[in-house]
């Protein structure tokens, strides 16, 4: 699984840094737990362009595999990752 966290200026202003911290903590925790399947990669990316295309606020943006999460919150991102990681 690949988790991309947008660190463009809009997403950073709206909390992408906190999200990244939470995702890194989750990765550390779950990598030590045998109840969860394979590990995931975290990739920090520059502006994905969604904030410029949309009139509405979409930041912060997180992409989990092919799924794009707009207005991502820690809870939503954690739930998505955990549901994909569960055996
Ligand atoms: S800054 Fe994240 S989509 Fe533009």
């Amino acid at each position: 699984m690949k988790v991309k966290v947008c660190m463009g200026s809009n997403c950073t202003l709206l909390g992408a840094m906190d999200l990244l911290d939470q995702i890194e903590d989750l990765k550390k925790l779950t990598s030590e737990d045998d109840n969860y399947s394979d590990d995931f990669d975290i990739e920090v990316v520059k502006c994905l362009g969604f904030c410029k295309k949309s009139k509405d606020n979409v930041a912060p943006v997180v992409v989990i595999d092919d799924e794009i999460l707009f207005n991502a919150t820690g809870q939503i991102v954690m739930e998505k990752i955990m549901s994909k990681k569960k055996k």
Side-chain angles (χ1 to χ4, degrees):
M1 184 190 344
K2 179 154 255 170
V3 180
K4 291 184 193 166
V5 183
C6 179
M7 282 290 168
S9 45
N10 278 315
C11 290
T12 303
L13 273 175
L14 288 163
M17 210 65 190
D18 281 347
L19 276 178
L20 182 63
D21 283 347
Q22 289 178 54
I23 296 166
E24 282 173 342
D25 285 349
L26 181 72
K27 180 180 165 90
K28 200 167 162 230
L29 278 173
T30 56
S31 65
E32 294 161 359
D33 188 336
D34 291 339
N35 290 320
Y36 294 100
S37 56
D38 58 358
D39 212 359
F40 59 97
D41 294 322
I42 303 170
E43 191 183 337
V44 172
V45 293
K46 290 184 188 159
C47 176
L48 293 165
F50 298 113
C51 63
K52 294 183 174 103
K53 280 186 219 149
S54 173
K55 278 184 273 152
D56 301 320
N57 173 39
V58 295
V61 179
V62 174
V63 182
I64 302 176
D65 292 334
D66 293 330
E67 192 172 352
I68 303 162
L69 304 176
F70 296 125
N71 304 120
T73 63
Q75 187 179 352
I76 290 170
V77 173
M78 298 304 121
E79 283 173 7
K80 277 280 175 222
I81 293 173
M82 294 307 279
S83 69
K84 286 184 177 236
K85 273 179 77 65
K86 272 207 165 128
K87 276 182 183 167

